[in-house]
Amino acid sequence: MKTSFYSILYPVMTKSLEALSGVLSKAAADAEAHKSTRLNYEEWFLNDRLIYNQMGLARQVQIATDNAKNSIKRLTGADVPSFEDSETTFAQLQERIAKTIDLLKAVKPEDVNDKEDVRVSLPYWDGKSLSGYEYATEYLLPNFFFHVTTAYAIIRKNGVAIGKSDFIGPLPLK
Amino acid sequence: MKTSFYSILYPVMTKSLEALSGVLSKAAADAEAHKSTRLNYEEWFLNDRLIYNQMGLARQVQIATDNAKNSIKRLTGADVPSFEDSETTFAQLQERIAKTIDLLKAVKPEDVNDKEDVRVSLPYWDGKSLSGYEYATEYLLPNFFFHVTTAYAIIRKNGVAIGKSDFIGPLPLK
């Protein structure tokens, strides 16, 4: 694959969400193995956070998937479904990730490659905007990776045996 | 700016390291304001980690800067200086970031834009390699953002008043 506006966004975010799905599977298995039936362990894990005033694990996954999904609408104008942000189980978060990946995979290079100069505005930007390219490279990708990494961090600090390769995913080494 | 192999790497990593420098400045100021002179607060902060078996703050910054700096050699073949990984103060980490930014800013688009098909091999890849493009999008950028975000996370969980905008940096909103 070569560098294009499409290729630096949709294949990259798809791969990262696939890796996140694997990380969440390991977290769910670890939690299941170590659960106490007297504690609502799944709800607590999904609400756990690095510090009291930062968002919790489920919310990190919700925002990462929203970043990815909503970029399609912001760049191409195509409608994308809203998600309800009501996930309270690992299985529901997996479903959200799977739906997001389906949407990302449905994006075609030609839908995106000429969108570097569209104007993109977010609700909290006070009517101001960025170019599609600025939005993608200065906001979307850093923000997306921020939330995927923070989800990983919350899982990691709960002692789940994950490592960097779980975050990166398989590499096409030859 | 338009999408190119150069533009998705060097301006993006430069901006992120500038933001990381700001985050570290806030951490240093907070630590200075709340220090106990009986405790070696700076050394402890730079060694703090999210969990006992993950790398600490200084190491996260060292790896992020190494990822960025070493990509120049890996993609273009140009020599880059080695850093000693001996930083024990916030000021020394800032110096390392500044040196890295200087190296990134010295990269010219024409040095990188034709390097998508070079083969890149890392010591722990057992003699195997990725294309320059695969290395950049599947390893370099995710890994770079992973370590910048983890540095942020360690600082955040120590109660320093930083938010997402400190991580993202200024946006060219119009």
Side-chain angles (χ1 to χ4, degrees), chain A residues 91-105:
Chain A
Q92 289 166 347
L93 285 178
Q94 292 285 9
E95 199 181 323
R96 183 184 182 115
I97 292 172
K99 279 187 200 165
T100 304
I101 289 173
D102 284 346
L103 291 165
L104 301 185
K105 286 189 170 171

Side-chain angles (χ1 to χ4, degrees), chain A residues 129-141:
Chain A
S129 62
L130 298 176
S131 74
Y133 182 80
E134 291 163 346
Y135 158 74
T137 58
E138 299 193 40
Y139 181 85
L140 172 61
L141 283 180

